[in-house]
Amino acid sequence: MDTKSTISRPAKNNIQILRVLTKVMATTLFSVTRVWCTRKIPNSLTQSACMSSNYRLAEVGKLETPKLTGKYDTGQLFLHRVFGYRGVVLFPWLARVYDRDVPNKKETKPIEETLNYNQVGKEVKGRAHTYYQVLIDSRDCPYIRAQTEAVTFLGNQDNGRTLYAVPGLDYVAHEDLMPYSGGDKRPIRHDLFDKFLTYSTDKDPCFCARDTLKAWQERNHPWLELSDVHKETTENIRVTVIPFYMGCRESQSANVYWWRYCIRLENLGELTVQLRERHWRIFSLSGTLETVRGRGVVGQEPVLSRQQPAFQYSSHVSLQAPSGHMWGTFRMEREDGYTFDCRIPPFSLESKQEDSTQPSGII
């Protein structure tokens, strides 16, 4: 009996079929059934999926048992449990997760009720959790509902601050990795794959970090580091927020501090829901309170259905103060016409002391 389940892959990157396969493979894996995953898929489901797309399935590798404890090593290949893309682990981050859905023994009143903080002051205990910095296969980028240039930071170049965007980087929670192994020496298509990783037959996983990856991580650590994750669920819509400090732009008139924030929305229910509007409150340590309203997010009004339950995007915010916080709501519309405000968990914007080691977007 084979000790691993074989992963099949649409030859032309049909991410819809892959999402079906990943769900089936997850069921197969956790029941410890070791068979070809295609044999576990009901014939009607396989035929309808393949007939509608006219794509054939190609083998990628063999599914491995997920780690319930411990961490994945650099070079681990995986499929994303929610978005279905192929990726490879670069290195782990130990983050503090503040989940407002988890009840606490002690809760405090909002620290500033007059500003309608939407329970910003609610005491939420942070719990340590492992996330990973990963590379996304460029062949899958056009087919996933997540921005693939989520990592940005300010870098010094010619005595000025330049905004860098690193394509195909993501942060993935431990439970969202479905590990697999493959025989291809270059299984992930990404410009940084060969610069960061090297193939080694006597290692497990068989891809090891090059010195360039270690140097890049060390040099850009303050801007890459994932420290806090905030979660909250409203009406079966789960919102996860991860803020990052990007750096400070200095000028004669004022210093401007920049952050990026990554937001993931996931529909945990049965009914289709569409995001219609956003409403942000942005408080700065300088004493200003800004309100931002608008249609959709990043020019879209994403639909969250059972077939495509998640959407992820990144945006940026700047303050003329070294710290602040944000919170807000998304106006959602359900398929039955019911509308509701989905809470965005409050999160802090904290700057970091910058040293002489400047961020660099050049590998």
Side-chain angles (χ1 to χ4, degrees):
M1 184 73 70
D2 193 357
T3 59
K4 299 178 180 179
S5 300
T6 299
I7 301 174
S8 294
R9 173 78 185 173
K12 294 187 179 181
N13 296 317
N14 188 333
I15 212 71
Q16 292 291 350
I17 298 180
L18 177 59
R19 232 180 239 113
V20 173
L21 293 177
T22 55
K23 291 180 181 178
V24 174
M25 287 186 294
T27 303
T28 302
L29 184 65
F30 286 109
S31 63
V32 201
T33 304
R34 307 302 185 184
V35 296
W36 287 70
C37 70
T38 50
R39 294 178 184 172
K40 287 290 292 182
I41 303 175
N43 289 334
S44 58
L45 180 62
T46 307
Q47 291 172 1
S48 61
C50 293
M51 288 176 63
S52 63
S53 62
N54 294 322
Y55 293 145
R56 64 183 179 83
L57 298 180
E59 182 178 332
V60 168
K62 293 185 177 181
L63 196 65
E64 298 178 344
T65 303
K67 290 186 176 182
L68 301 181
T69 60
K71 300 178 181 178
Y72 292 108
D73 296 321
T74 296
Q76 176 65 61
L77 302 175
F78 70 90
L79 297 177
H80 196 290
R81 180 185 62 86
V82 177
F83 294 112
Y85 64 72
R86 291 165 288 182
V88 61
V89 170
L90 295 182
F91 42 80
W93 295 111
L94 188 61
R96 295 186 302 272
V97 177
Y98 298 91
D99 193 339
R100 300 173 77 83
D101 300 329
V102 177
N104 295 308
K105 294 182 180 179
K106 295 182 180 180
E107 293 188 357
T108 60
K109 294 182 179 180
I111 55 177
E112 299 199 38
E113 295 178 345
T114 56
L115 290 180
N116 187 24
Y117 274 131
N118 190 21
Q119 291 190 331
V120 167
K122 176 182 177 181
E123 181 181 350
V124 181
K125 184 178 180 181
R127 294 170 171 80
H129 194 71
T130 301
Y131 280 71
Y132 298 92
Q133 190 94 64
V134 305
L135 290 181
I136 303 173
D137 195 311
S138 60
R139 295 169 293 185
D140 297 339
C141 288
Y143 304 96
I144 60 178
R145 303 185 76 204
Q147 285 180 317
T148 56
E149 292 188 357
V151 174
T152 54
F153 53 84
L154 297 174
N156 274 1
Q157 188 175 36
D158 299 330
N159 297 322
R161 285 289 192 170
T162 303
L163 180 63
Y164 287 102
V166 185
L169 277 179
D170 198 7
Y171 294 85
V172 182
H174 182 89
E175 64 273 13
D176 284 340
L177 265 65
M178 297 178 60
Y180 75 91
S181 59
D184 192 348
K185 293 184 178 181
R186 196 171 183 270
I188 303 298
R189 300 296 187 265
H190 193 287
D191 291 341
L192 299 179
F193 185 85
D194 291 331
K195 295 178 181 179
F196 282 168
L197 301 169
T198 182
Y199 184 79
S200 177
T201 56
D202 58 346
K203 299 290 184 179
D204 185 20
C206 56
F207 299 98
C208 305
R210 292 182 181 269
D211 291 339
T212 51
L213 173 59
K214 299 174 183 177
W216 185 76
Q217 178 189 11
E218 181 178 354
R219 185 168 61 244
N220 297 308
H221 183 278
W223 290 267
L224 293 172
E225 182 182 15
L226 184 156
S227 57
D228 297 338
V229 179
H230 305 264
K231 298 183 176 184
E232 187 166 5
T233 304
T234 307
E235 301 276 358
N236 288 321
I237 303 299
R238 181 83 152 167
V239 178
T240 302
V241 183
I242 308 177
F244 299 89
Y245 178 60
M246 293 172 54
C248 176
R249 273 200 174 116
E250 300 177 357
S251 66
Q252 294 180 349
S253 58
N255 293 340
V256 180
Y257 299 84
W258 284 83
W259 291 264
R260 72 177 181 275
Y261 52 91
C262 179
I263 292 188
R264 171 169 148 182
L265 297 99
E266 187 171 2
N267 187 355
L268 307 179
E270 299 294 323
L271 298 178
T272 298
V273 178
Q274 184 170 13
L275 190 156
R276 292 298 190 182
E277 300 175 0
R278 68 187 185 279
H279 176 204
W280 282 106
R281 306 295 296 278
I282 306 170
F283 178 77
S284 171
L285 187 63
S286 62
T288 61
L289 178 63
E290 181 182 2
T291 298
V292 177
R293 295 179 181 270
R295 296 287 298 180
V297 291
V298 293
Q300 301 183 52
E301 296 182 19
V303 175
L304 307 178
S305 63
R306 293 188 64 184
Q307 293 73 31
Q308 294 184 313
F311 180 81
Q312 181 174 296
Y313 76 95
S314 294
S315 190
H316 304 86
V317 63
S318 63
L319 301 176
Q320 292 187 0
S323 64
H325 48 258
M326 295 177 61
W327 70 100
T329 57
F330 293 124
R331 173 58 59 92
M332 313 297 292
E333 182 178 357
R334 219 161 54 191
E335 63 180 74
D336 59 6
Y338 173 70
T339 60
F340 60 94
D341 288 329
C342 178
R343 293 183 296 274
I344 305 171
F347 58 96
S348 297
L349 303 171
E350 301 293 341
S351 60
K352 299 178 181 179
Q353 185 175 0
E354 301 183 34
D355 54 28
S356 57
T357 303
Q358 299 297 341
S360 172
I362 301 175
I363 305 301

